[in-house]
Amino acid sequence: MLQHRWSLGLRVIAILELIKGSVVLLAFILVAGGHWTMDSLMERIVHYTRLDPSGGIAKFFTVTVANLDSVVLLWLALAYIVLRFAEGYGLWLERHWGEWLAVLSAFVYVPAEIYELILHFSLRKVGVLVVNIVIIAFLGWVLWKTRNRRKALGAAS
């Protein structure tokens, strides 16, 4: 049973984080197993996310990431997977550290999203930025509410 009125929102974000981690884990397994090359993986990412092939993010995937040393890429992928699974776990169980981890990791993308939006405006980019800001605002609200609840509990004891 969900304890707080914000629990459902935390669970939805937790599921999104677990999905993102699982997608990267699956891609990692397919590349490591020899089913895909890094080039074909990056091309698929650009294609399925409908990124402009000449845009900054697409070039980042097709040039920078695809040409990283495989050991570096392995560690980056594993760090990303662990981060997403930790966020999902922490949010699902309504852990304070999970809420902080999620708000910080979501906030990291905002400057890049704004930069990309300024370079090449699209409604999709606006949508991604708005969703990210809504998630950050929601998590900030939850952190504020739990902080106030902890203060009240501390004052009562």
Side-chain angles (χ1 to χ4, degrees):
M1 183 169 146
L2 301 177
Q3 298 174 345
H4 307 99
R5 62 180 188 222
W6 58 77
S7 295
L8 180 60
L10 292 176
R11 296 262 169 109
V12 168
I13 298 169
I15 290 169
L16 291 173
E17 297 305 324
L18 292 169
I19 289 170
K20 290 191 286 187
S22 298
V23 166
V24 173
L25 178 61
L26 177 62
F28 175 78
I29 290 169
L30 289 170
V31 170
H35 301 288
W36 290 350
T37 64
M38 278 307 298
D39 288 336
S40 66
L41 173 62
M42 293 304 118
E43 288 171 7
R44 282 179 171 89
I45 289 171
V46 170
H47 174 75
Y48 289 115
T49 58
R50 299 181 189 264
L51 292 171
D52 175 11
S54 62
I57 293 176
K59 284 184 181 176
F60 172 76
F61 280 118
T62 57
V63 176
T64 307
V65 175
N67 292 317
L68 279 176
D69 179 64
S70 59
V71 174
V72 171
L73 194 57
L74 165 74
W75 284 108
L76 288 174
L78 290 175
Y80 183 86
I81 293 164
V82 168
L83 174 68
R84 295 298 167 209
F85 286 162
E87 275 184 63
Y89 174 82
L91 290 172
W92 189 269
L93 298 178
E94 297 185 26
R95 300 291 192 250
H96 193 63
W97 60 263
E99 295 159 3
W100 272 108
L101 183 61
V103 79
L104 292 173
S105 74
F107 186 75
V108 165
Y109 293 105
V110 172
E113 290 169 351
I114 292 171
Y115 177 74
E116 276 297 313
L117 189 59
I118 290 169
L119 287 182
H120 306 284
F121 180 86
S122 76
L123 290 178
R124 181 177 45 87
K125 290 178 184 178
V126 171
V128 169
L129 179 61
V130 167
V131 167
N132 204 13
I133 289 172
V134 167
I135 289 171
I136 292 167
F138 171 74
L139 291 169
W141 177 77
V142 169
L143 286 167
W144 181 70
K145 286 294 202 181
T146 57
R147 179 178 175 260
N148 289 342
R149 190 181 69 204
R150 287 180 182 174
K151 276 185 176 178
L153 290 174
S157 38

